[in-house]
mmCIF file with all atom_site columns, all heavy atoms in Angstrom:
data_model
loop_
_atom_site.group_PDB
_atom_site.id
_atom_site.type_symbol
_atom_site.label_atom_id
_atom_site.label_alt_id
_atom_site.label_comp_id
_atom_site.label_asym_id
_atom_site.label_entity_id
_atom_site.label_seq_id
_atom_site.pdbx_PDB_ins_code
_atom_site.Cartn_x
_atom_site.Cartn_y
_atom_site.Cartn_z
_atom_site.occupancy
_atom_site.B_iso_or_equiv
_atom_site.pdbx_formal_charge
_atom_site.auth_seq_id
_atom_site.auth_comp_id
_atom_site.auth_asym_id
_atom_site.auth_atom_id
_atom_site.pdbx_PDB_model_num
ATOM 1  N N   . ASP A 1 4  ? -62.387 -62.718 -30.189 1.00 0.00 ? 250 ASP A N   1
ATOM 2  C CA  . ASP A 1 4  ? -62.772 -62.646 -28.781 1.00 0.00 ? 250 ASP A CA  1
ATOM 3  C C   . ASP A 1 4  ? -62.301 -61.317 -28.205 1.00 0.00 ? 250 ASP A C   1
ATOM 4  O O   . ASP A 1 4  ? -61.118 -61.038 -28.118 1.00 0.00 ? 250 ASP A O   1
ATOM 5  C CB  . ASP A 1 4  ? -62.136 -63.810 -28.027 1.00 0.00 ? 250 ASP A CB  1
ATOM 6  C CG  . ASP A 1 4  ? -62.529 -63.836 -26.555 1.00 0.00 ? 250 ASP A CG  1
ATOM 7  O OD1 . ASP A 1 4  ? -63.199 -62.879 -26.104 1.00 0.00 ? 250 ASP A OD1 1
ATOM 8  O OD2 . ASP A 1 4  ? -62.154 -64.800 -25.866 1.00 0.00 ? 250 ASP A OD2 1
ATOM 9  N N   . LEU A 1 5  ? -63.237 -60.469 -27.808 1.00 0.00 ? 251 LEU A N   1
ATOM 10 C CA  . LEU A 1 5  ? -62.887 -59.138 -27.324 1.00 0.00 ? 251 LEU A CA  1
ATOM 11 C C   . LEU A 1 5  ? -62.012 -59.188 -26.080 1.00 0.00 ? 251 LEU A C   1
ATOM 12 O O   . LEU A 1 5  ? -61.294 -58.245 -25.782 1.00 0.00 ? 251 LEU A O   1
ATOM 13 C CB  . LEU A 1 5  ? -64.165 -58.340 -27.025 1.00 0.00 ? 251 LEU A CB  1
ATOM 14 C CG  . LEU A 1 5  ? -64.974 -57.888 -28.245 1.00 0.00 ? 251 LEU A CG  1
ATOM 15 C CD1 . LEU A 1 5  ? -66.231 -57.175 -27.788 1.00 0.00 ? 251 LEU A CD1 1
ATOM 16 C CD2 . LEU A 1 5  ? -64.150 -56.970 -29.129 1.00 0.00 ? 251 LEU A CD2 1
ATOM 17 N N   . PHE A 1 6  ? -62.056 -60.298 -25.342 1.00 0.00 ? 252 PHE A N   1
ATOM 18 C CA  . PHE A 1 6  ? -61.277 -60.362 -24.115 1.00 0.00 ? 252 PHE A CA  1
ATOM 19 C C   . PHE A 1 6  ? -59.870 -60.897 -24.368 1.00 0.00 ? 252 PHE A C   1
ATOM 20 O O   . PHE A 1 6  ? -59.052 -60.956 -23.460 1.00 0.00 ? 252 PHE A O   1
ATOM 21 C CB  . PHE A 1 6  ? -62.009 -61.238 -23.097 1.00 0.00 ? 252 PHE A CB  1
ATOM 22 C CG  . PHE A 1 6  ? -63.335 -60.681 -22.689 1.00 0.00 ? 252 PHE A CG  1
ATOM 23 C CD1 . PHE A 1 6  ? -64.499 -61.190 -23.231 1.00 0.00 ? 252 PHE A CD1 1
ATOM 24 C CD2 . PHE A 1 6  ? -63.421 -59.625 -21.802 1.00 0.00 ? 252 PHE A CD2 1
ATOM 25 C CE1 . PHE A 1 6  ? -65.732 -60.674 -22.859 1.00 0.00 ? 252 PHE A CE1 1
ATOM 26 C CE2 . PHE A 1 6  ? -64.644 -59.106 -21.433 1.00 0.00 ? 252 PHE A CE2 1
ATOM 27 C CZ  . PHE A 1 6  ? -65.807 -59.632 -21.955 1.00 0.00 ? 252 PHE A CZ  1
ATOM 28 N N   . ALA A 1 7  ? -59.567 -61.272 -25.607 1.00 0.00 ? 253 ALA A N   1
ATOM 29 C CA  . ALA A 1 7  ? -58.260 -61.841 -25.918 1.00 0.00 ? 253 ALA A CA  1
ATOM 30 C C   . ALA A 1 7  ? -57.297 -60.811 -26.474 1.00 0.00 ? 253 ALA A C   1
ATOM 31 O O   . ALA A 1 7  ? -56.119 -61.057 -26.571 1.00 0.00 ? 253 ALA A O   1
ATOM 32 C CB  . ALA A 1 7  ? -58.425 -62.988 -26.915 1.00 0.00 ? 253 ALA A CB  1
ATOM 33 N N   . GLU A 1 8  ? -57.805 -59.628 -26.837 1.00 0.00 ? 254 GLU A N   1
ATOM 34 C CA  . GLU A 1 8  ? -56.974 -58.611 -27.441 1.00 0.00 ? 254 GLU A CA  1
ATOM 35 C C   . GLU A 1 8  ? -57.294 -57.246 -26.832 1.00 0.00 ? 254 GLU A C   1
ATOM 36 O O   . GLU A 1 8  ? -58.438 -56.972 -26.470 1.00 0.00 ? 254 GLU A O   1
ATOM 37 C CB  . GLU A 1 8  ? -57.182 -58.584 -28.961 1.00 0.00 ? 254 GLU A CB  1
ATOM 38 C CG  . GLU A 1 8  ? -56.744 -59.881 -29.631 1.00 0.00 ? 254 GLU A CG  1
ATOM 39 C CD  . GLU A 1 8  ? -57.147 -59.910 -31.093 1.00 0.00 ? 254 GLU A CD  1
ATOM 40 O OE1 . GLU A 1 8  ? -58.088 -59.207 -31.474 1.00 0.00 ? 254 GLU A OE1 1
ATOM 41 O OE2 . GLU A 1 8  ? -56.507 -60.653 -31.845 1.00 0.00 ? 254 GLU A OE2 1
ATOM 42 N N   . PRO A 1 9  ? -56.315 -56.352 -26.753 1.00 0.00 ? 255 PRO A N   1
ATOM 43 C CA  . PRO A 1 9  ? -56.590 -55.014 -26.243 1.00 0.00 ? 255 PRO A CA  1
ATOM 44 C C   . PRO A 1 9  ? -57.547 -54.275 -27.172 1.00 0.00 ? 255 PRO A C   1
ATOM 45 O O   . PRO A 1 9  ? -57.351 -54.234 -28.375 1.00 0.00 ? 255 PRO A O   1
ATOM 46 C CB  . PRO A 1 9  ? -55.207 -54.354 -26.236 1.00 0.00 ? 255 PRO A CB  1
ATOM 47 C CG  . PRO A 1 9  ? -54.220 -55.473 -26.292 1.00 0.00 ? 255 PRO A CG  1
ATOM 48 C CD  . PRO A 1 9  ? -54.902 -56.564 -27.062 1.00 0.00 ? 255 PRO A CD  1
ATOM 49 N N   . VAL A 1 10 ? -58.588 -53.719 -26.581 1.00 0.00 ? 256 VAL A N   1
ATOM 50 C CA  . VAL A 1 10 ? -59.581 -52.961 -27.338 1.00 0.00 ? 256 VAL A CA  1
ATOM 51 C C   . VAL A 1 10 ? -59.723 -51.594 -26.685 1.00 0.00 ? 256 VAL A C   1
ATOM 52 O O   . VAL A 1 10 ? -59.859 -51.490 -25.468 1.00 0.00 ? 256 VAL A O   1
ATOM 53 C CB  . VAL A 1 10 ? -60.950 -53.688 -27.340 1.00 0.00 ? 256 VAL A CB  1
ATOM 54 C CG1 . VAL A 1 10 ? -62.000 -52.838 -28.048 1.00 0.00 ? 256 VAL A CG1 1
ATOM 55 C CG2 . VAL A 1 10 ? -60.828 -55.055 -28.003 1.00 0.00 ? 256 VAL A CG2 1
ATOM 56 N N   . GLU A 1 11 ? -59.671 -50.556 -27.507 1.00 0.00 ? 257 GLU A N   1
ATOM 57 C CA  . GLU A 1 11 ? -59.780 -49.200 -26.980 1.00 0.00 ? 257 GLU A CA  1
ATOM 58 C C   . GLU A 1 11 ? -60.917 -48.482 -27.687 1.00 0.00 ? 257 GLU A C   1
ATOM 59 O O   . GLU A 1 11 ? -60.938 -48.392 -28.927 1.00 0.00 ? 257 GLU A O   1
ATOM 60 C CB  . GLU A 1 11 ? -58.476 -48.430 -27.203 1.00 0.00 ? 257 GLU A CB  1
ATOM 61 C CG  . GLU A 1 11 ? -58.527 -46.985 -26.711 1.00 0.00 ? 257 GLU A CG  1
ATOM 62 C CD  . GLU A 1 11 ? -57.260 -46.223 -27.001 1.00 0.00 ? 257 GLU A CD  1
ATOM 63 O OE1 . GLU A 1 11 ? -56.257 -46.857 -27.382 1.00 0.00 ? 257 GLU A OE1 1
ATOM 64 O OE2 . GLU A 1 11 ? -57.268 -44.978 -26.852 1.00 0.00 ? 257 GLU A OE2 1
ATOM 65 N N   . ALA A 1 12 ? -61.870 -47.969 -26.921 1.00 0.00 ? 258 ALA A N   1
ATOM 66 C CA  . ALA A 1 12 ? -62.954 -47.172 -27.486 1.00 0.00 ? 258 ALA A CA  1
ATOM 67 C C   . ALA A 1 12 ? -62.447 -45.757 -27.732 1.00 0.00 ? 258 ALA A C   1
ATOM 68 O O   . ALA A 1 12 ? -61.968 -45.088 -26.814 1.00 0.00 ? 258 ALA A O   1
ATOM 69 C CB  . ALA A 1 12 ? -64.145 -47.158 -26.537 1.00 0.00 ? 258 ALA A CB  1
ATOM 70 N N   . LEU A 1 13 ? -62.536 -45.311 -28.979 1.00 0.00 ? 259 LEU A N   1
ATOM 71 C CA  . LEU A 1 13 ? -62.089 -43.956 -29.318 1.00 0.00 ? 259 LEU A CA  1
ATOM 72 C C   . LEU A 1 13 ? -63.212 -42.948 -29.124 1.00 0.00 ? 259 LEU A C   1
ATOM 73 O O   . LEU A 1 13 ? -62.982 -41.833 -28.659 1.00 0.00 ? 259 LEU A O   1
ATOM 74 C CB  . LEU A 1 13 ? -61.602 -43.917 -30.764 1.00 0.00 ? 259 LEU A CB  1
ATOM 75 C CG  . LEU A 1 13 ? -60.460 -44.869 -31.125 1.00 0.00 ? 259 LEU A CG  1
ATOM 76 C CD1 . LEU A 1 13 ? -60.088 -44.716 -32.593 1.00 0.00 ? 259 LEU A CD1 1
ATOM 77 C CD2 . LEU A 1 13 ? -59.252 -44.623 -30.229 1.00 0.00 ? 259 LEU A CD2 1
ATOM 78 N N   . ASP A 1 14 ? -64.393 -43.329 -29.525 1.00 0.00 ? 260 ASP A N   1
ATOM 79 C CA  . ASP A 1 14 ? -65.604 -42.528 -29.383 1.00 0.00 ? 260 ASP A CA  1
ATOM 80 C C   . ASP A 1 14 ? -66.774 -43.476 -29.554 1.00 0.00 ? 260 ASP A C   1
ATOM 81 O O   . ASP A 1 14 ? -66.583 -44.666 -29.862 1.00 0.00 ? 260 ASP A O   1
ATOM 82 C CB  . ASP A 1 14 ? -65.666 -41.405 -30.446 1.00 0.00 ? 260 ASP A CB  1
ATOM 83 C CG  . ASP A 1 14 ? -64.881 -40.172 -30.048 1.00 0.00 ? 260 ASP A CG  1
ATOM 84 O OD1 . ASP A 1 14 ? -65.258 -39.529 -29.047 1.00 0.00 ? 260 ASP A OD1 1
ATOM 85 O OD2 . ASP A 1 14 ? -63.888 -39.849 -30.722 1.00 0.00 ? 260 ASP A OD2 1
#
Side-chain angles (χ1 to χ4, degrees):
D250 182 354
L251 289 177
F252 297 101
E254 296 172 337
V256 176
E257 178 183 348
L259 302 180
D260 277 295

